[in-house]
Amino acid sequence: MVGYSAYQLDPGPLEPSVLTQQLTHRSRDIWDGNVNMILNTRRCDGKFWDLVKKYPIHPRVLEVIELSGLYGIYRSNRPSIDRSLITSLVERWRPETHTFHFRTGEATITLQDVEVLYGLPVNGDPVLGDESIRTIGDWQNICQRLLGFIPRPQNFNRSSLKVTALNAHMLEQQQLPNLATQDMINQMARCYMFWMIAGMMMADTSGNYLKLMFLPMLEDLSVVSSYSWGSATLACLYHFLCKASQSNQNEIAGFLPLLQIWAWERVTVLKPQVIAQRDTENNFLAGLPRGPHATRWFAHFSWTNTTKHVLKVFRDALDSMTEDQFIWEPYSDDLIENLPDYCRIGRDIWRVRAPIFCWDVVEVHLPDRVMRQFGLKQTIPTPFLFDATHFHHDRRGRPNTNWKLEHAQWLPFWNQRLQYICDAPFNREPLRYDDPYLIWFKRITRLVIGNPTQRPQQQKGYVPNSTAYETMVRHIHSMVDRARALGDQPSMKDLYIFRAMVRNEGEKCLTYVHEADRINVQADYRRDELHDDHLHSPVRR
């Protein structure tokens, strides 16, 4: 990227102290003109939803799933994922802070979102294990004992199982006999839970395979609910967001329904209008609890006021988003109290600042950066000392690893999590433009993703921000015309009048783009250095 002068549009960061990986972030490529990079979304749950739609889960099996803590995943059903919307969010995700950097400040998916939206337990043991080396024969024996069938050798890929093999077995067993033994019920329940864990909550980029490392964790069904499945799901999503934010990536995995519904709950310029709920009552027993909050998005939508599948529109909407277009607290106190118990049982740790785990994955949960999401005052956050290239680490080349020992330096934070609860005074008022946090944030962030100078002169179809640009250009032209009228030797009186005009026209421009509060703020939003080559350049892989 060429050096900046004080008069060029500077997307940020003006100070490189926080966003140290800007040189390899995908927003840099977008600014340089590569604007149409839509990520592939990897998931393997299509056959699962086809199966349960055609053959609803047996009531006795569903009772086992409810006790496991994974019931909310099934009740929420499958949303259609918008790849363009996901891509526009990834463009604003920062691996250095585990937050989205919007114009209004930092925001992120927290443990509160995971539990409220999907009812996954967040307060429990970390999802870790001992990854022993196992042969295909070993895995066949484990599948026979826990799932009730023996997959063929060709259905394995090292320590992963083909989705089609599991699906074929479940199709054969869709009608359990009324006198089925409890072992048969438990085996079928494990089939569903294994698919939900490995194919949805912790889905990887393989697309067609399920990681078998999660299967032994389901052996004792009485302890399945003791794991913090919510924090593990969030750790995986953080991990894939961090990876996908790099310019050399073209796909993303993880629990993408959580990401999309989180955005619909909070960003008004992204969410569709719900017309009517889809009828799912016939699929659930009257005695089972209601679904989590995400079930409200299993509905028929209207797209009159928003778009879908158009990356440029999503990007532009986030580039120009105003404070009133972001909902900091979508879950009111009344809403939370009216949710099923399993959606709020872990509320004591929703604001814990600690690492979160899922086998090889270690990420960090930083609610102190988004205190406004909890109705609390936001201050300038302190950094969490963490490996900046954490998302490059994975399980490859790490056989026979005990992940509890591997993460021994981070586990005490989670085990003593109640000591790391973030707190601040209540404050539900919008931040003033001159708030110290906002002044700091606008210097360290990347405010604009789309580069207006890269747009073609004769653009067809949607023109981003066209009315705002036209209005500002009109004001600039009026100032230029007035300057020409002054002549070569204007009087001091004319210069004072011209200066007042420039100030008034500038105020009109800022008012039009919803930045009127900036007029009275003495903050310098210029880069300290002319060039950005002093940014730390991480290794590109």
Side-chain angles (χ1 to χ4, degrees):
M1 187 180 294
V2 298
Y4 294 102
S5 74
Y7 303 101
Q8 288 180 309
L9 177 62
D10 195 328
L14 304 180
E15 294 179 5
S17 58
V18 177
L19 304 188
T20 58
Q21 300 184 57
Q22 180 56 44
L23 291 180
T24 59
H25 196 270
R26 65 189 308 109
S27 62
R28 179 182 174 90
D29 292 345
I30 296 167
W31 191 260
D32 290 342
N34 194 357
V35 298
N36 297 317
M37 299 180 292
I38 299 179
L39 292 168
N40 293 319
T41 52
R42 310 289 285 182
R43 37 195 317 217
C44 55
D45 60 341
K47 291 184 181 298
F48 176 93
W49 296 112
D50 292 341
L51 177 70
V52 299
K53 182 179 179 180
K54 188 173 183 179
Y55 304 105
I57 299 179
H58 192 280
R60 290 177 61 191
V61 174
L62 201 52
E63 290 174 357
V64 177
I65 294 175
E66 181 203 352
L67 296 176
S68 72
L70 308 181
Y71 172 74
I73 298 292
Y74 170 60
R75 279 301 304 257
S76 301
N77 290 285
R78 182 196 190 198
S80 177
I81 296 299
D82 190 323
R83 295 194 301 129
S84 296
L85 187 151
I86 298 296
T87 302
S88 68
L89 292 170
V90 172
E91 292 171 357
R92 289 190 166 272
W93 177 263
R94 301 305 310 206
E96 306 93 334
T97 62
H98 285 168
T99 57
F100 300 100
H101 279 222
F102 298 125
R103 295 184 65 87
T104 52
E106 293 180 74
T108 196
I109 309 166
T110 67
L111 293 175
Q112 180 194 46
D113 296 297
V114 179
E115 194 162 57
V116 167
L117 290 176
Y118 283 94
L120 290 174
V122 297
N123 196 4
D125 297 327
V127 178
L128 297 171
D130 187 354
E131 195 158 354
S132 304
I133 297 178
R134 292 185 173 96
T135 65
I136 290 179
D138 295 333
W139 284 120
Q140 285 179 316
N141 292 333
I142 292 174
C143 288
Q144 181 183 22
R145 186 175 76 255
L146 300 184
L147 303 181
F149 79 110
I150 304 176
R152 296 177 180 178
Q154 58 266 35
N155 289 326
F156 292 93
N157 181 12
R158 297 182 180 178
S159 59
S160 297
L161 175 68
K162 275 187 178 181
V163 172
T164 51
L166 181 61
N167 184 57
H169 165 67
M170 296 173 73
L171 283 173
E172 294 174 359
Q173 304 293 322
Q174 78 271 11
Q175 297 295 336
L176 286 173
N178 292 329
L179 297 179
T181 65
Q182 191 59 45
D183 283 343
M184 295 173 60
I185 295 298
N186 291 345
Q187 287 174 341
M188 184 54 62
R190 290 192 192 97
C191 289
Y192 286 109
M193 291 189 290
F194 174 53
W195 201 341
M196 285 190 283
I197 293 171
M200 299 183 209
M201 297 155 52
M202 289 77 156
D204 62 11
T205 55
S206 66
N208 298 316
Y209 285 89
L210 304 174
K211 290 181 179 177
L212 285 163
M213 64 187 186
F214 298 109
L215 186 54
M217 302 183 74
L218 305 178
E219 181 161 7
D220 186 352
L221 292 175
S222 66
V223 302
V224 173
S225 62
S226 67
Y227 291 109
S228 177
W229 296 108
S231 68
T233 299
L234 190 59
C236 283
L237 183 56
Y238 279 2
H239 178 75
F240 284 111
L241 280 168
C242 291
K243 288 189 68 173
S245 69
Q246 302 302 289
S247 59
N248 60 353
Q249 299 293 313
N250 62 4
E251 61 183 2
I252 184 173
F255 194 27
L256 298 180
L258 171 61
L259 173 58
Q260 180 166 292
I261 289 180
W262 176 89
W264 283 353
E265 286 283 340
R266 297 180 182 272
V267 187
T268 61
V269 293
L270 300 182
K271 69 177 182 180
Q273 180 183 356
V274 175
I275 299 299
Q277 296 293 319
R278 297 191 185 183
D279 183 17
T280 60
E281 295 304 320
N282 295 331
N283 295 340
F284 305 109
L285 297 178
L288 292 173
R290 293 182 293 113
H293 192 52
T295 55
R296 81 186 192 98
W297 294 104
F298 188 66
H300 300 283
F301 299 128
S302 168
W303 304 93
T304 302
N305 299 321
T306 52
T307 187
K308 58 179 178 179
H309 310 306
V310 185
L311 175 58
K312 290 182 179 179
V313 179
F314 286 132
R315 183 185 295 149
D316 183 58
L318 295 177
D319 274 348
S320 57
M321 186 172 67
T322 57
E323 179 70 29
D324 61 325
Q325 293 174 332
F326 189 87
I327 303 173
W328 288 103
E329 293 183 87
Y331 322 125
S332 66
D333 293 338
D334 289 341
L335 185 150
I336 292 175
E337 291 303 322
N338 288 323
L339 288 171
D341 290 343
Y342 67 90
C343 292
R344 48 190 167 86
I345 195 171
R347 66 192 310 171
D348 290 344
I349 68 160
W350 284 351
R351 289 185 278 114
V352 65
R353 185 178 191 254
I356 49 180
F357 308 87
C358 183
W359 285 75
D360 55 301
V361 174
V362 184
E363 300 291 339
V364 61
H365 183 246
L366 297 173
D368 58 311
R369 306 192 74 96
V370 295
M371 296 300 275
R372 285 185 284 176
Q373 293 184 200
F374 302 95
L376 304 178
K377 180 176 175 57
Q378 181 64 57
T379 58
I380 298 174
T382 57
F384 190 98
L385 299 179
F386 202 69
D387 182 5
T389 60
H390 58 279
F391 52 90
H392 291 307
H393 309 324
D394 55 34
R395 297 166 54 240
R396 287 177 293 184
R398 305 294 301 278
N400 240 7
T401 300
N402 185 326
W403 292 105
K404 290 184 179 180
L405 296 178
E406 187 73 14
H407 304 320
Q409 61 174 323
W410 302 114
L411 274 173
F413 288 96
W414 179 259
N415 294 334
Q416 302 169 25
R417 51 193 174 275
L418 291 178
Q419 299 180 23
Y420 302 104
I421 304 297
C422 299
D423 202 6
F426 283 99
N427 181 29
R428 286 187 164 92
E429 297 296 323
L431 288 185
R432 289 171 52 89
Y433 202 93
D434 57 352
D435 185 277
Y437 167 78
L438 280 185
I439 292 177
W440 167 83
F441 175 72
K442 290 187 177 182
R443 288 196 61 82
I444 62 92
T445 192
R446 182 87 167 184
L447 278 178
V448 182
I449 300 298
N451 189 342
T453 64
Q454 298 289 346
R455 292 164 181 153
Q457 296 297 317
Q458 302 298 327
Q459 183 167 329
K460 298 180 180 180
Y462 172 73
V463 181
N465 277 331
S466 58
T467 55
Y469 296 150
E470 181 180 349
T471 300
M472 288 187 286
V473 168
R474 190 185 310 120
H475 289 299
I476 293 172
H477 273 225
S478 65
M479 288 186 281
V480 171
D481 291 340
R482 182 60 185 269
R484 287 177 176 174
L486 292 177
D488 295 333
Q489 295 179 335
S491 65
M492 292 301 297
K493 179 181 178 180
D494 289 338
L495 286 176
Y496 280 120
I497 294 175
F498 178 70
R499 186 177 68 174
M501 177 199 175
V502 171
R503 183 182 64 248
N504 294 335
E505 294 296 322
E507 289 182 3
K508 292 177 182 178
C509 287
L510 289 173
T511 300
Y512 192 84
V513 295
H514 307 286
E515 294 279 352
D517 291 340
R518 183 172 178 174
I519 296 168
N520 299 316
V521 176
Q522 299 298 319
D524 189 357
Y525 293 124
R526 293 174 297 176
R527 186 181 293 277
D528 294 334
E529 302 291 337
L530 293 180
H531 300 281
D532 63 355
D533 53 8
H534 58 286
L535 293 172
H536 304 293
S537 177
V539 178
R540 301 188 69 159
R541 305 194 176 199

